[in-house]
Amino acid sequence: MNKKQNISDSVIHRLPRYYRFLAELSAQGVNKISSNELAERMGTTASQVRQDFNCFGCFGQQGYGYTIAMLLEELAKIMGIENSRKAILIGAGNLGKAIAGHITFSKLGFELIGIFDNSKTKIGKDIFGFRVASIKKLKAFCQQNNVEMAILCIPKEQAANVVETLYSAGVRGYWNFSHHDLKSLHDDIIVENVHLNDSLMKLSFRFVDL
Amino acid sequence: MNKKQNISDSVIHRLPRYYRFLAELSAQGVNKISSNELAERMGTTASQVRQDFNCFGCFGQQGYGYTIAMLLEELAKIMGIENSRKAILIGAGNLGKAIAGHITFSKLGFELIGIFDNSKTKIGKDIFGFRVASIKKLKAFCQQNNVEMAILCIPKEQAANVVETLYSAGVRGYWNFSHHDLKSLHDDIIVENVHLNDSLMKLSFRFVDL
């Protein structure tokens, strides 16, 4: 049985944050850290930190702490960011362009290999080295290239149709910027949603705290 | 005492989702919904839904459910999205441009009134009707226009300096796309983080479930 199964969502949520803080410390030349120090930076408790790392078989040394390089390596393995899963992006609008240009996919477990759109004004245009392809070529491309993940930067109304095409071509991972609830379409897909509107509404709500 | 205080993070997290689902139903011409139906759409339980709405004094009618228009109005008030708080965006790169072009601020409690950058190649350029201004003008602009919120689409290394300028000009709300931990800078600010890299790492992690 894989040790990554049965890990709670809240632990999964903390993993990238651990990775980010530790990578920062490493870049500053720090080699070791105690669970207390790490907890303080993360705004959590030392016992939480130890419990999280124990989940994955990472143990610190009493009175010595954790070796940062080792933790980083272990976290990278756990999160699978050393992989290079083939990814494509659908929707070459402003958001799609920003994602294509802003994200260093190769450091996060993926390789971006194509960009697709359904608009004649976008197809054929060059975006960060990719020639935008017609959505009509989506299915064949995914099958030929074993695409595992799709980034959806498309309007909500188009999401269900596009996902059907992708699903039938074997794509099972979705980084979803559309507002469609993809999990309602298929049980056996994995989805990570980025709901920018929700995030802004939460910020609006929090103004009451000021 | 304001009824919005002491609301847990998990409730705050669900509010925009309720709003989204209800707005969708309303657009489809649906007028009423039971807590059971809403719970099913949200992937939660009816008692959770009732408890969440009770927090804000929204009560359904036994055997009748909730009136969607009323819930939407109440949620909009609670989240403050009927406000029009002045907001600016810092960083006119790909991500900043996408945010400026993609988000309907007026429906989410804010009004975007300016875009700033420190790069000579970007200052003076036109982005969605805004002329990009020099970051040197940031402080005076915020003070003159009572800016309440700043969207940070800048590299991590620049975040602390920019926040000091904004903070000294009275800006207390931050929609943070940089990877800097802003809460460590000031206690009395509100921050909503969008960590795209973290989101992608979580997706990478979840591939183990397939």
Side-chain angles (χ1 to χ4, degrees):
Chain A
M1 180 166 145
N2 193 301
K3 66 177 174 178
K4 289 209 264 178
Q5 281 172 341
N6 302 319
I7 303 295
S8 79
D9 272 359
S10 52
V11 178
I12 296 172
H13 188 72
R14 283 192 291 273
L15 290 178
R17 294 190 62 220
Y18 284 124
Y19 190 81
R20 196 149 35 86
F21 281 114
L22 291 165
E24 212 171 296
L25 288 169
S26 175
Q28 289 163 11
V30 184
N31 297 319
K32 284 163 206 136
I33 192 164
S34 69
S35 44
N36 275 316
E37 282 171 288
L38 189 53
E40 203 173 311
R41 286 183 78 97
M42 296 269 301
T44 180
T45 64
S47 79
Q48 175 81 82
V49 168
R50 284 191 295 265
Q51 199 181 313
D52 284 353
F53 289 161
N54 285 358
C55 272
F56 301 103
C58 300
F59 301 97
Q61 207 178 320
Q62 188 77 36
Y64 178 90
Y66 295 93
T67 305
I68 289 176
M70 220 191 282
L71 272 186
L72 278 172
E73 202 184 311
E74 200 58 33
L75 282 168
K77 257 190 242 161
I78 288 161
M79 294 192 293
I81 60 176
E82 290 164 331
N83 289 321
S84 187
R85 299 181 195 278
K86 301 277 195 298
I88 54 165
L89 187 149
I90 333 264
N94 290 310
L95 187 62
K97 276 190 267 186
I99 300 299
H102 188 77
I103 303 290
T104 312
F105 289 95
S106 61
K107 289 192 176 175
L108 301 162
F110 299 94
E111 181 192 1
L112 185 64
I113 62 165
I115 300 181
F116 294 81
D117 204 289
N118 65 357
S119 153
K120 278 184 188 158
T121 61
K122 287 172 188 151
I123 294 165
K125 291 267 164 67
D126 201 77
I127 294 180
F128 301 107
F130 294 98
R131 178 151 297 185
V132 177
S134 164
I135 202 134
K136 289 179 188 156
K137 298 184 178 164
L138 193 55
K139 188 167 178 176
F141 184 92
C142 290
Q143 286 169 331
Q144 280 158 22
N145 294 282
N146 296 316
V147 171
E148 293 189 78
M149 193 272 273
I151 306 157
L152 303 186
C153 298
I154 53 179
K156 182 188 175 77
E157 301 72 36
Q158 295 171 18
N161 270 341
V162 167
V163 169
E164 281 321 301
T165 304
L166 291 165
Y167 186 83
S168 72
V171 179
R172 292 292 180 271
Y174 295 88
W175 199 20
N176 181 31
F177 290 78
S178 87
H179 279 167
H180 197 89
D181 179 18
L182 304 187
K183 283 299 256 184
S184 66
L185 302 173
H186 292 284
D187 271 347
D188 60 341
I189 58 174
I190 50 169
V191 182
E192 178 67 26
N193 293 306
V194 183
H195 290 319
L196 295 175
N197 285 3
D198 286 19
S199 170
L200 195 52
M201 283 194 254
K202 281 191 269 175
L203 182 61
S204 175
F205 178 91
R206 290 208 166 95
F207 265 87
V208 76
D209 297 333
L210 286 179
Chain B
M1 185 169 144
N2 194 301
K3 68 178 173 178
K4 290 210 265 179
Q5 281 171 343
N6 302 319
I7 303 294
S8 79
D9 271 0
S10 51
V11 179
I12 297 172
H13 188 71
R14 284 192 292 271
L15 291 178
R17 293 188 63 220
Y18 284 125
Y19 191 80
R20 196 148 35 84
F21 281 114
L22 291 166
E24 212 172 297
L25 289 169
S26 175
Q28 289 162 13
V30 184
N31 296 320
K32 285 163 206 136
I33 192 164
S34 69
S35 45
N36 276 317
E37 281 171 289
L38 190 53
E40 203 173 309
R41 285 184 79 97
M42 297 269 300
T44 178
T45 64
S47 78
Q48 175 81 83
V49 168
R50 284 192 295 266
Q51 198 180 317
D52 285 352
F53 288 162
N54 285 357
C55 272
F56 301 103
C58 300
F59 301 97
Q61 209 178 318
Q62 188 77 37
Y64 178 91
Y66 295 93
T67 306
I68 289 176
M70 220 192 284
L71 272 185
L72 278 172
E73 202 185 313
E74 199 58 35
L75 281 168
K77 259 189 237 161
I78 288 161
M79 294 191 294
I81 60 176
E82 290 165 331
N83 290 320
S84 186
R85 299 181 195 278
K86 302 275 195 300
I88 54 166
L89 188 149
I90 334 261
N94 290 309
L95 186 61
K97 275 191 269 188
I99 300 298
H102 187 76
I103 303 289
T104 311
F105 289 97
S106 62
K107 289 194 176 175
L108 302 162
F110 299 95
E111 182 193 2
L112 185 64
I113 62 165
I115 301 181
F116 294 81
D117 204 290
N118 65 358
S119 152
K120 279 183 187 160
T121 61
K122 286 172 189 152
I123 294 165
K125 290 266 166 68
D126 200 77
I127 295 181
F128 301 107
F130 294 99
R131 177 150 298 183
V132 178
S134 164
I135 202 136
K136 288 179 188 156
K137 297 183 179 164
L138 192 56
K139 187 166 179 177
F141 184 91
C142 290
Q143 286 169 332
Q144 281 157 21
N145 294 283
N146 296 317
V147 171
E148 292 188 78
M149 193 272 272
I151 306 155
L152 303 186
C153 298
I154 52 180
K156 183 189 174 78
E157 301 71 36
Q158 295 171 19
N161 271 340
V162 167
V163 169
E164 281 320 303
T165 304
L166 292 164
Y167 186 84
S168 72
V171 180
R172 292 293 180 271
Y174 295 89
W175 199 21
N176 181 32
F177 290 78
S178 86
H179 279 164
H180 198 89
D181 178 18
L182 303 188
K183 283 300 257 184
S184 67
L185 301 173
H186 292 284
D187 270 347
D188 60 341
I189 60 175
I190 49 171
V191 182
E192 178 66 27
N193 293 306
V194 183
H195 290 318
L196 295 175
N197 285 2
D198 286 19
S199 170
L200 195 51
M201 282 194 255
K202 280 191 271 175
L203 181 60
S204 174
F205 178 91
R206 291 209 165 95
F207 265 88
V208 77
D209 296 335
L210 287 180

